[in-house]
Amino acid sequence: MRAGPSQEDIRRHNLGALLRHVHLGGPISRAELTAKMGLNRSTIMALTSDLTAAGLVREELPRETGRAGRPSLVVRPESSRVYVFAFDVGPDRLAAARVGLGGAILDRRETARRRGPFDLDELAGTLAGFARQMRRKTRPDTVCVGAAAAVSGGVRKDDGVIMFGPNLGAESVPFGEELGRRLGLGLPVSVGNDANLAALAEHSRGVAVGVRDLIYLHGDVGIGGGIITGGHLLGGHDGYGGEVGHMVVNPGGQPCGCGSRGCLEAEVGERALLEAAGRVAARGDTRANALSHDGDGAGRQGRDAVRAVVDAADRGDIVAQEALKRVGGWLGLGVANLVNIFNPEMVIFGGMLREVYLGSAAQVRSRLATNAMGPQRERLRLRTSALADDATLVGAAELAFAHVLADPLEVLARVTG
Ligand SMILES: [Zn+2]
């Protein structure tokens, strides 16, 4: 015997790697797997047999090869049999999805969330109820292999406690533990920051597949960020890294919820845009306060209100155009700082920043031209999120699948045993 990893370690690693190819890339022939993984045909055959026996993949003859000779079997994920639950807790919505191996959203539930304090009991109850509804509709042979949630806040790595989430009204909330208890599946619930998970989702299934250095900016009430460098998410020492929303872009500017002034979030977030467009009361302006309470109650805040400003600007509304210009300028300055520091290949605008960027791309680019350094700027690509409102849910699903891909057979034995 030679020193190094054991045969069992190698087998576990290879099973995970093969399953990852099938999970992320979809159906793939044994011949392609042989080429991609650099293993011989008999090893690939043994690995696919193990995964097939575990019910994680199945093998089929391809429909038409157009070539003579014996066709290579195609390996497919057992998408309708093996699934995870993914949850998203944002300032304005609660969402749950059943996501099959291979990444397809098989079923989903969503409800609006009223902004205000974090009611753990109600929130976990609602999400667990969604999961129960979806589970009742599944066939008896399906198996849930994991659960994870994306939340708008800072999450402690080890135990899924939301340490800070001002836009959710959450502080030191044991969310993962409570949701796991409510689900009653005997599975832990992993919890991650929504912008971090959305960045991973765009990286694995969205606009940034194959991009190793990217920055994803997520806007809702606040601005969150996910930074992937060299193919890895930048977590920081405690896992709270990437909070780009509190980078100061305008010293002495708008007051921010964090206690500082002129943070990216304070100058570019939903409130900044709606204030600049005259659609909510300016901070400290009590006279105009009635504005936010006078109307139909709908469209005064949230994604619809942001879209309404962008639509109005498109139709030629000067106030809306000026508001977008102002916000776009600060956004461009924030992006310029990030580009100078991290030299990403791509910057992705997600959440409500999707709309804001589409309405202010000229200002963002102009700021970049002025404030980002040439070499970092030249090959930079600015993109909107491809997964749009699903980015956080897709990211949560990938988090839930992560341990399955790390050790496919152990996980399956545990959840079915
Ligand atoms: Zn701040």
Side-chain angles (χ1 to χ4, degrees), residues 46-341:
L47 293 170
T48 51
S49 299
D50 283 348
L51 293 175
T52 303
L56 291 165
V57 303
R58 64 176 193 278
E59 292 184 279
E60 290 174 347
L61 281 169
R63 287 193 187 90
E64 189 63 58
T65 63
R67 284 205 308 253
R70 203 157 57 112
S72 177
L73 288 171
V74 170
V75 186
R76 297 176 174 276
E78 280 283 14
S79 304
S80 56
R81 181 172 180 272
V82 180
Y83 70 91
V84 296
F85 281 120
F87 303 97
D88 179 31
V89 181
D92 297 323
R93 78 159 185 180
L94 298 176
R98 197 166 72 79
V99 181
L101 186 67
I105 295 181
L106 303 170
D107 198 357
R108 64 188 299 158
R109 298 285 186 285
E110 190 171 319
T111 187
R113 174 181 185 267
R114 183 181 285 276
R115 289 185 188 176
F118 195 94
D119 186 333
L120 178 60
D121 199 46
E122 189 191 331
L123 269 167
T126 301
L127 293 174
F130 283 162
R132 266 194 304 279
Q133 288 171 18
M134 291 188 280
R135 202 157 174 243
R136 274 200 291 270
K137 288 172 61 188
T138 61
R139 296 195 319 251
D141 69 332
T142 57
V143 53
C144 178
V145 294
V151 300
S152 172
V155 179
R156 195 158 64 195
K157 289 192 275 203
D158 309 330
D159 56 7
V161 171
I162 305 173
M163 295 305 287
F164 55 89
N167 297 324
L168 290 178
E171 195 181 338
S172 301
V173 178
F175 177 65
E177 185 189 334
E178 179 61 17
L179 183 56
R181 196 179 65 75
R182 295 294 195 103
L183 286 173
L185 295 168
L187 291 167
V189 177
S190 307
V191 186
N193 170 266
D194 56 357
N196 282 189
L197 292 178
L200 289 170
E202 293 292 345
H203 179 57
S204 54
R205 298 189 180 277
V207 71
V209 171
V211 175
R212 292 175 58 77
D213 296 276
L214 68 98
I215 295 178
Y216 172 91
L217 297 174
H218 188 82
D220 44 51
V221 179
I223 305 288
I227 299 168
I228 292 179
T229 134
H232 297 284
L233 183 74
L234 186 137
H237 184 53
D238 298 305
Y240 305 125
E243 287 286 348
V244 298
H246 300 284
M247 170 176 52
V248 176
V249 291
N250 181 21
Q254 299 284 356
C256 182
C258 73
S260 178
R261 296 187 86 92
C263 297
L264 187 66
E265 173 168 318
E267 301 294 349
V268 175
E270 173 193 311
R271 186 172 181 90
L273 178 70
L274 298 180
E275 270 182 20
R279 296 186 178 225
V280 291
R283 276 160 269 212
D285 184 351
T286 49
R287 177 182 50 80
N289 237 353
L291 246 183
S292 54
H293 302 291
D294 68 345
D296 45 21
R300 291 285 174 201
Q301 59 182 18
R303 196 73 61 83
D304 289 344
V306 170
R307 278 198 191 106
V309 175
V310 178
D311 289 347
D314 273 348
R315 289 195 308 270
D317 181 323
I318 306 279
V319 178
Q321 286 173 349
E322 287 302 318
L324 270 171
K325 268 188 198 166
R326 178 189 162 85
V327 165
W330 295 125
L331 178 59
L333 190 57
V335 172
N337 285 329
L338 293 170
V339 165
N340 289 341
I341 299 168

